[in-house]
Amino acid sequence: MYVQYPQGEQQFFSHKHTEVLAKIAGNLSRVEVIQSFENPFTQPLEALYIFPLPDEAAVDDMEIKIGDRIIKGNIKKREEAIAIYEKAKQEGRTAGLLEQERDNIFTQSLANIKPGEQIDVTSRYTESLKFEAGNYEFVFPMVVGPRYIPGTPIDGSGDTDQVPDASRITPPVVPEGTRSRHNINVTVEEPGSEYVSVQVPVEMPEAVSYQRVFGSLPGGFTPKISLSKRSAPPSAEAPDFLRQRRSPQSPVAKEVNIIPGAAISHQLEVISVTALDETGIADLTQHLQQLNFPSGFSGEIVFEFTVNKLRVGGIVLDEKASTLKDPVVVENIKRSLLLWRLPPSTTGKIVLILRIHT
């Protein structure tokens, strides 16, 4: 993270803390990232923070908390969002701008942070969990790694003629053998399970070791994992926070150090969907059938949504036509639809009717 002065000068410093809360529901994760910033200087400043998120994360919400005030963010086209931010900055108002630089690299700009003032920026995203060899995998990246930057430098910022925004994807690096005072805390929650909580320093993964804290749980499961700052063994895991759990059908579920949820059985059927051919319907059915629902639900759910530039938006539940309206089930399906990879020819308004038996 660095301070951006009007003259173009930059001064590096670490932001205060990052808090991550991930909630797992079936094959989806809903993640809330709270980044805390504080101005340690004696004059208002503009700060720019470069950080990673999963490359398939669908960021859909942002808010800024300043004392008791909460400012809700709006999703705008990039040029429009930058213009709004610059106008607020020139007027001396506190403003925030979240931009996506690459699939997995984001920048958070904050203007007019007053001396000693703390600002909490909350971003929320949804992501589909990867499933491989009987495991669901949740990954939260913590480091923007070095990238190859080709071309001839055009100024002192690190930008080149081939990568004109190199400075926006190349965060500062602390000297070897030291680490930033910035810590990150990750908490993962899953319905029916105990939580997993991890706190790690982000600049020195080689100095991190894993210390398991066991509770009085059946089968020796580990509900909590804490990390201490000691020399890590050569086989230490990568700095990304990685959580795996066996699928309910796996016969070796007790080998993992978490509390597996109860086995879930369900059946989801696509009754009808407009604007899709047979291949598209089969693809959508396969995508939705990866969802896990608790038992005791049955009925039909009707959604209306629009498709524009291969993105699903404006998902609305038709409450009159739906016989199943449980908010947890509805929300899980909505999030799954947002992550659906649509066939290239899909466009316009779609009406989707689902039937669920559990």
Side-chain angles (χ1 to χ4, degrees), residues 317-336:
L317 173 69
D318 188 337
E319 296 193 4
K320 290 185 177 180
S322 300
T323 59
L324 175 57
K325 306 173 188 178
D326 180 81
V328 174
V329 175
V330 170
E331 186 63 24
N332 282 347
I333 296 175
K334 282 185 176 181
R335 292 176 183 175
S336 184

Side-chain angles (χ1 to χ4, degrees), residues 141-161:
M142 297 183 185
V143 177
V144 176
R147 304 174 72 94
Y148 171 63
I149 306 294
T152 303
I154 56 179
D155 54 32
S157 69
D159 296 341
T160 70
D161 54 355

Side-chain angles (χ1 to χ4, degrees), residues 119-292:
I119 297 178
D120 295 330
V121 180
T122 301
S123 304
R124 299 180 179 90
Y125 68 84
T126 300
E127 183 189 23
S128 179
L129 301 183
K130 295 180 181 178
F131 182 80
E132 184 176 355
N135 291 326
Y136 284 103
E137 180 182 86
F138 170 77
V139 176
F140 183 79
M142 297 183 185
V143 177
V144 176
R147 304 174 72 94
Y148 171 63
I149 306 294
T152 303
I154 56 179
D155 54 32
S157 69
D159 296 341
T160 70
D161 54 355
Q162 294 187 41
V163 189
D165 64 344
S167 59
R168 297 184 65 84
I169 60 173
T170 310
V173 178
V174 298
E176 184 177 355
T178 65
R179 82 168 185 88
S180 166
R181 63 185 177 90
H182 162 227
N183 281 347
I184 180 169
N185 190 73
V186 181
T187 301
V188 179
E189 297 179 357
E190 181 181 10
S193 299
E194 295 289 339
Y195 67 86
V196 177
S197 179
V198 173
Q199 185 173 24
V200 295
V202 296
E203 265 79 18
M204 288 185 65
E206 69 278 4
V208 174
S209 65
Y210 290 72
Q211 178 186 358
R212 286 182 171 83
V213 181
F214 293 89
S216 56
L217 300 172
F221 298 129
T222 304
K224 186 174 182 179
I225 300 175
S226 65
L227 280 74
S228 59
K229 212 173 70 176
R230 296 181 300 180
S231 296
S235 60
E237 299 176 38
D240 285 357
F241 175 75
L242 170 64
R243 185 191 188 215
Q244 288 188 331
R245 62 180 173 85
R246 295 287 181 179
S247 65
Q249 295 79 18
S250 173
V252 291
K254 292 187 178 180
E255 293 181 6
V256 295
N257 287 323
I258 63 173
I259 300 177
I264 300 174
S265 60
H266 73 277
Q267 181 179 2
L268 183 148
E269 180 183 0
V270 176
I271 302 300
S272 69
V273 57
T274 61
L276 289 181
D277 56 20
E278 291 184 2
T279 301
I281 294 174
D283 178 74
L284 176 59
T285 301
Q286 183 179 15
H287 174 75
L288 291 176
Q289 284 182 343
Q290 297 180 57
L291 287 170
N292 287 330

Side-chain angles (χ1 to χ4, degrees), residues 3 5 11-13 38-45 114-116:
V3 180
Y5 291 106
Q11 181 172 347
F12 301 135
F13 74 101
E38 187 175 40
N39 182 356
F41 303 105
T42 58
Q43 60 185 7
L45 59 81
K114 296 180 176 60

Side-chain angles (χ1 to χ4, degrees), residues 43-116:
Q43 60 185 7
L45 59 81
E46 178 185 13
L48 178 66
Y49 176 51
I50 305 171
F51 64 100
L53 286 180
D55 55 7
E56 293 188 357
V59 180
D60 56 26
D61 191 22
M62 170 189 163
E63 64 184 32
I64 300 174
K65 182 179 180 181
I66 310 171
D68 295 331
R69 292 189 299 141
I70 295 180
I71 304 171
K72 297 289 291 184
N74 292 317
I75 299 176
K76 302 284 187 182
K77 291 184 177 180
R78 186 164 193 162
E79 294 77 11
E80 182 182 357
I82 292 174
I84 295 172
Y85 173 80
E86 291 294 334
K87 183 174 184 294
K89 182 174 71 173
Q90 295 301 322
E91 294 173 351
R93 292 184 290 150
T94 302
L97 176 66
L98 178 64
E99 300 174 82
Q100 185 174 11
E101 308 297 340
R102 299 293 188 272
D103 286 348
N104 61 344
I105 301 179
F106 291 74
T107 53
Q108 176 70 66
S109 302
L110 289 171
N112 297 312
I113 306 177
K114 296 180 176 60

